[in-house]
Amino acid sequence: MSATFVGMPAFPAAAREALSDTQLRRNLAHATGTIRAKRAAVVGEVDEWEELRMAGAAIKDNTLRHLDEHLLRLEKSLTDRGATVHWARDAAEACEIVASIAKQHAVDEVVKVKSMATQEIGLNEALATQGITAWETDLAELIVQLGDDLPSHILVPAIHRNRAEIREIFRDKMAAAGRPAPDDLSDRPAELAGAARLHLREKFLRARMAVSGANFAVAETGTLVVVESEGNGRMCLTLPEVLVSVVGIEKIVPTWSDLDVFLQLLPRSSTGERMNPYTSTWSGATEGQEAHVVLLDNGRTRALADEVGRQALRCIRCSACLNVCPVYERTGGHAYGSVYPGPIGAILNPLLRGTGVDDQVDSLPYASSLCGACFEACPVRIDIPEVLVHLRSKVVDAHRSAPKAEAVAMKSASWVLADSKRLGLAERGMGLAGRLLGRFGRKVMPGGRRALGRLPWPGSLWSNARDVPAPPAESFRAWWRREGRR
Amino acid sequence: MSAREEILGRVRSALAAADPSLAPVPRGYRSVVPAGDVVELFAERLVDYRAELTRCTADTLPAALASALGDAGSVLVPDGFPWEVPGGVPDTGQSAAELDRLDAVVTLAALAIATTGTIVLDHGPGQGRRAVSLVPDRHVCVLRTDQIVPGVPQAVAALSPDRPQTWISGPSATSDIELNRVEGVHGPRTLHVLLVSS
């Protein structure tokens, strides 16, 4: 696996490969099970949880409906407080802005606090092509970056790795990136975290420029908010002379006081804690630091124009939907082929990038059983199943041209079913097939009925993911003729 | 067209058919307060985050401070910190590398939140700039019991966005390795709160 999502196969192919990785499934089942239990316990403590969800959804919806006004207000309040505001239509433009700020300050390395927006735009790779190294400083991001791997979870990007794998990555790769791992490094989590602390501290102390995202941007006051646990965020936000924050335009909340909703919803939904260890807020340039804010579109206005899908822009990237999703738990994040995996990724990617353009993106609305657990877990009440169904219809519409095999099959089926004589004949044929296939069926389903293995193409499109029951040896009507008249 | 004009134009055309009316935001959560004593709740939640807690009075504070600092030889003391600190080094705008060579830091706080066990620094007098409570490995914070508010809504209402803020809940921690919580990654590995009865 290389450190880019470009060229990833469509979800069904990627998922099949992931399902055969038993180590991955064990790591994931353990991690998602743990975090589900923690989240349930701390959410259960809050009697007004449903009201907070309603408030969170309403605040975000109200902001999105007047996003142009809030963007202008945010720009003004940031500028008034000494920050420089940049606007980026797409990934390339955003990366170019960050690179040019680095060049103005003659820096060839930057430290980064984990940011979904900068992963989305491929900032690290873009900076590398201009000779600028970006060091990820979140422990999980460090594991992913050193392992030349891809993140697989919004909140815990290395959720697919266990401690033994992490130890190997640190021992093999740390030396080439700076301070090497200690020779006697064990796989105890505390020792692994200690090695990361020493390795990264030398980078924090010498860094002159940092890049961050923001969890929230307050239009009224120009306040950016970063929520984190390790202190690497605080290191990036406070130590370097120059701070560049890449902020998606959907991150806005109108007023400072609105944060009282999100600072309750986010920690409990994400890490399952009452509060994350560190939250930093700052308004514009502070303590003599030069501050830049890049307001990023990159498909967000496309999502905004979709009346059903617009609600996905409420997302606060907590990852609660990933941890409750039966599909994510078995396939992991890589199968989604994007920095936004899981149920939210299955809707966010097609909304940001459009349907009917890319087979990988078009496969994502189908990466779900529509069980609804994600909607129930979402702290801002995004109706993910509703959006999935809506996007499936858009994908179908985008590919509507020659009649498909399925449509042809349905048409002939309707001809058979429309007439009792034709149906009787078909059933006799099925009975014969059933007696034959039942004998050769390779699996036995619950209840004792035989099931077939994979069908030849085009039946394989159906049977690759499902057991196909052998047809019954006798139709109901045949049975009735034989038995029912006694 | 500039990126700014183009993005604003895209936003406006995306919203052309949208209903501009605003949904009501329920705010009943703001009047919900935890049952029982907020000081006891704060103490319980703080310790739950594996922070250390010493309760004292104004009279016993100097002894508690000395004890919390333990064997720390050099302790950064921000401007406006009102007590004598053994091994105290005034904040003269030390660089990150210089802060890294100090053993501990003492600060005051702006307020604390009971339901979450959080202390909030707004970096006013006695609290230091943001870096000083981050780089040294031990952070000792002096808090008065009357600075504790019940929940997050009361804290947000009392704080001003004009000041940068750092909300701290326990020592630096990570759960990135098999979701095991480990204290101390990049921030202070020890957080010790001295809670002064008022």
Side-chain angles (χ1 to χ4, degrees):
Chain A
M1 180 148 308
S2 74
T4 169
F5 280 110
V6 175
M8 283 288 286
F11 184 83
R16 192 174 307 116
E17 193 179 322
L19 284 172
S20 63
D21 184 343
T22 52
Q23 177 74 62
L24 173 76
R25 290 179 67 173
R26 243 196 317 274
N27 295 355
L28 278 169
H30 168 71
T32 53
T34 306
I35 205 162
R36 275 200 303 271
K38 281 178 69 184
R39 178 184 169 275
V42 296
V43 166
E45 281 178 3
V46 183
D47 293 336
E48 64 277 24
W49 186 255
E50 275 312 306
E51 195 196 64
L52 285 168
R53 289 179 78 208
M54 302 293 285
I59 293 168
K60 282 280 190 175
D61 271 353
N62 290 346
T63 315
L64 291 169
R65 276 177 213 175
H66 297 272
L67 190 58
D68 51 339
E69 297 157 35
H70 291 293
L71 277 166
L72 290 172
R73 199 168 177 207
L74 176 67
E75 180 189 45
K76 180 169 185 335
S77 54
L78 278 167
T79 310
D80 287 349
R81 288 166 172 79
T84 307
V85 176
H86 311 258
W87 299 71
R89 280 168 278 224
D90 55 24
E93 194 165 25
C95 291
E96 190 47 49
I97 292 166
V98 180
S100 71
I101 297 168
K103 284 178 183 164
Q104 280 160 25
H105 293 84
V107 301
D108 59 6
E109 65 170 5
V110 300
V111 286
K112 278 187 66 199
V113 47
K114 174 177 179 285
S115 141
M116 301 306 296
T118 59
Q119 281 174 9
E120 174 193 322
I121 61 175
L123 180 67
N124 294 7
E125 295 75 23
L127 290 178
T129 63
Q130 308 220 26
I132 302 159
T133 310
W135 302 111
E136 292 291 349
T137 63
D138 172 82
L139 176 54
E141 286 293 335
L142 175 73
I143 296 165
V144 169
Q145 189 176 40
L146 289 176
D148 197 20
D149 194 358
L150 288 164
S152 66
H153 190 278
I154 287 177
L155 194 79
V156 200
I159 199 169
H160 57 293
R161 297 289 198 181
N162 65 19
R163 60 183 77 190
E165 295 173 293
I166 295 167
R167 173 178 178 268
E168 287 312 302
I169 291 170
F170 279 10
R171 285 181 52 93
D172 292 349
K173 301 289 181 64
M174 259 186 182
R179 184 181 173 126
D183 286 337
D184 57 349
L185 183 66
S186 80
D187 65 2
R188 283 180 46 233
E191 273 192 44
L192 295 169
R197 178 186 177 96
L198 290 173
H199 177 82
L200 285 170
R201 189 152 283 222
E202 63 173 27
K203 294 186 169 129
F204 288 130
L205 295 183
R206 71 166 184 244
R208 291 174 46 225
M209 173 167 156
V211 179
S212 82
N215 292 89
F216 307 102
V218 181
E220 175 194 31
T221 58
T223 309
L224 298 189
V225 182
V226 164
V227 172
E228 49 126 5
S229 292
E230 296 172 8
N232 65 306
R234 293 180 64 195
M235 290 275 180
C236 292
L237 302 175
T238 58
L239 299 185
E241 303 149 32
V242 184
L243 172 64
V244 183
S245 306
V246 180
V247 182
I249 56 174
E250 84 287 13
K251 294 283 182 174
I252 296 185
V253 296
T255 67
W256 167 260
S257 66
D258 289 322
L259 289 174
D260 67 3
V261 174
F262 300 103
L263 290 178
Q264 295 186 80
L265 288 174
L266 180 55
R268 289 182 200 257
S269 302
S270 55
T271 49
E273 295 175 293
R274 298 185 183 109
M275 188 58 81
N276 48 291
Y278 296 129
T279 298
S280 297
T281 79
W282 71 102
S283 308
T286 52
E287 294 175 349
Q289 188 181 51
E290 184 177 319
H292 295 263
V293 177
V294 182
L295 297 175
L296 175 72
D297 180 349
N298 203 35
R300 283 156 179 76
T301 48
R302 183 204 298 275
L304 188 67
D306 186 313
E307 275 180 50
V308 181
R310 183 179 298 152
Q311 57 184 308
L313 296 178
R314 288 184 209 147
C315 176
I316 55 174
R317 312 284 190 261
C318 71
S319 71
C321 62
L322 278 60
N323 301 323
V324 298
C325 177
V327 177
Y328 176 88
E329 186 179 329
R330 285 159 182 81
T331 63
H334 292 158
Y336 295 81
S338 157
V339 296
Y340 301 113
I344 188 65
I347 62 172
L348 207 49
N349 290 300
L351 287 166
L352 294 176
R353 296 173 58 193
T355 43
V357 193
D358 179 308
D359 284 346
Q360 194 275 329
V361 172
D362 282 357
S363 72
L364 293 176
Y366 296 90
S368 168
S369 61
L370 300 179
C371 76
C374 48
F375 179 27
E376 208 174 308
C378 178
V380 286
R381 299 186 87 255
I382 301 170
D383 191 343
I384 295 176
E386 180 195 22
V387 183
L388 284 166
V389 171
H390 163 72
L391 289 170
R392 287 181 187 186
S393 77
K394 289 189 75 167
V395 169
V396 170
D397 286 344
H399 292 268
R400 204 185 289 283
S401 50
K404 290 214 162 158
E406 191 181 346
V408 173
M410 284 297 167
K411 210 163 186 185
S412 44
S414 95
W415 181 78
V416 171
L417 290 168
D419 182 287
S420 71
K421 277 185 205 140
R422 287 178 215 146
L423 181 61
L425 275 170
E427 281 175 347
R428 239 181 283 161
M430 288 283 272
L432 179 65
R435 279 190 292 280
L436 273 173
L437 292 171
R439 206 169 297 160
F440 297 115
R442 275 186 277 168
K443 294 181 193 162
V444 179
M445 302 195 347
R449 192 162 164 192
R450 291 266 174 181
L452 310 176
R454 286 194 187 179
L455 300 177
W457 193 89
S460 59
L461 296 176
W462 175 264
S463 66
N464 276 355
R466 300 167 182 86
D467 290 328
V468 181
E474 186 177 36
S475 73
F476 173 79
R477 296 201 301 182
W479 174 83
W480 182 252
R481 268 200 303 279
R482 189 162 54 76
E483 295 279 328
R485 290 185 186 155
R486 280 186 187 175
Chain B
M1 203 190 309
S2 73
R4 178 181 186 272
E5 292 312 309
E6 191 165 336
I7 292 169
L8 287 169
R10 288 179 192 171
V11 169
R12 286 172 188 138
S13 66
L15 294 172
D19 175 4
S21 63
L22 296 182
V25 180
R27 299 287 190 184
Y29 65 88
R30 284 184 176 159
S31 52
V32 177
V33 285
D37 185 276
V38 293
V39 175
E40 293 310 315
L41 182 62
F42 170 74
E44 179 197 309
R45 299 270 155 103
L46 181 84
V47 172
D48 202 31
Y49 267 131
R50 301 186 207 174
E52 293 170 30
L53 175 71
T54 302
R55 305 179 75 154
C56 58
T57 63
D59 294 339
T60 58
L61 175 69
L65 194 57
S67 159
L69 288 167
D71 55 3
S74 53
V75 182
L76 189 113
V77 183
D79 286 347
F81 189 80
W83 294 281
E84 277 293 311
V85 178
V89 178
D91 181 6
T92 53
Q94 288 91 337
S95 69
E98 287 164 336
L99 291 176
D100 194 37
R101 288 192 283 275
L102 298 172
D103 297 323
V105 56
V106 289
T107 71
L108 304 178
L111 55 80
I113 305 167
T115 48
T116 61
T118 304
I119 57 171
V120 181
L121 274 57
D122 68 6
H123 307 286
Q127 300 174 43
R129 55 200 162 100
R130 289 182 291 166
V132 302
S133 53
L134 171 66
V135 182
D137 202 17
R138 171 177 288 260
H139 177 192
V140 177
C141 180
V142 181
L143 182 78
R144 297 190 317 273
T145 49
D146 65 6
Q147 290 181 286
I148 299 171
V149 300
V152 171
Q154 293 78 22
V156 170
L159 290 161
S160 165
D162 292 337
R163 307 193 64 87
Q165 288 161 29
T166 308
W167 296 38
I168 300 171
S169 307
S172 158
T174 182
S175 299
D176 282 344
I177 302 167
E178 299 180 17
L179 292 178
N180 286 293
R181 189 178 168 94
V182 176
E183 270 78 38
V185 195
H186 306 301
R189 282 183 279 201
T190 309
L191 171 68
H192 195 141
V193 174
L194 304 181
L195 189 55
V196 188
S197 304
S198 46

